[in-house]
Amino acid sequence: MSPESPSPPATLPTEIVNTIDESDPEQLRDVATYAEALAEHKEREARLEESPDQDEVEERPDDLSDDVPAEATITIKEINDNRYYYWQWREGEKIRSRYKGPVNPDE
């Protein structure tokens, strides 16, 4: 007896469910990675929109390089199964990023 296939969330449009159902395991993993990264990106955008104005920022972190504004926040990006810290901030309608360093696996 084969295990039962998982049920999609009711909130997903039928065309997305159909496309996902037709995908092979490798494509599904790629979709999952992309969806997670996109969700994090959109959450960061929302946080940056809610960030205080630069006038309200009290102090500049010691590890912030000169080319990164004080209102920047730290985010983690996963690239090829490795995790990295990036500074991110908004410039007008664009999100800017600057590499900070690798994530310590013990954290």
Side-chain angles (χ1 to χ4, degrees), residues 24-105:
D24 63 46
E26 184 177 342
Q27 288 173 319
L28 290 172
R29 285 186 181 83
D30 289 343
V31 167
T33 300
Y34 170 70
E36 185 62 35
L38 183 59
E40 288 177 11
H41 172 76
K42 289 185 177 209
E43 288 168 347
R44 280 191 302 273
E45 281 187 325
R47 281 195 312 270
L48 288 171
E49 286 176 2
E50 296 171 1
S51 293
D53 292 335
Q54 190 166 354
D55 295 342
E56 298 174 11
V57 175
E58 293 179 13
E59 62 184 63
R60 186 174 181 87
D62 293 335
D63 59 347
L64 190 62
S65 63
D66 292 337
D67 61 343
V68 175
E71 72 269 11
T73 59
I74 292 181
T75 60
I76 297 175
K77 293 184 180 182
E78 187 167 326
I79 303 169
N80 296 329
D81 296 326
N82 295 304
R83 296 171 45 146
Y84 302 95
Y85 288 118
Y86 280 81
W87 290 106
Q88 286 199 320
W89 66 96
R90 177 175 290 284
E91 286 181 4
E93 294 296 313
K94 295 188 176 190
I95 302 293
R96 301 290 184 192
S97 296
R98 183 81 65 230
Y99 175 76
K100 181 177 186 296
V103 173
N104 182 344

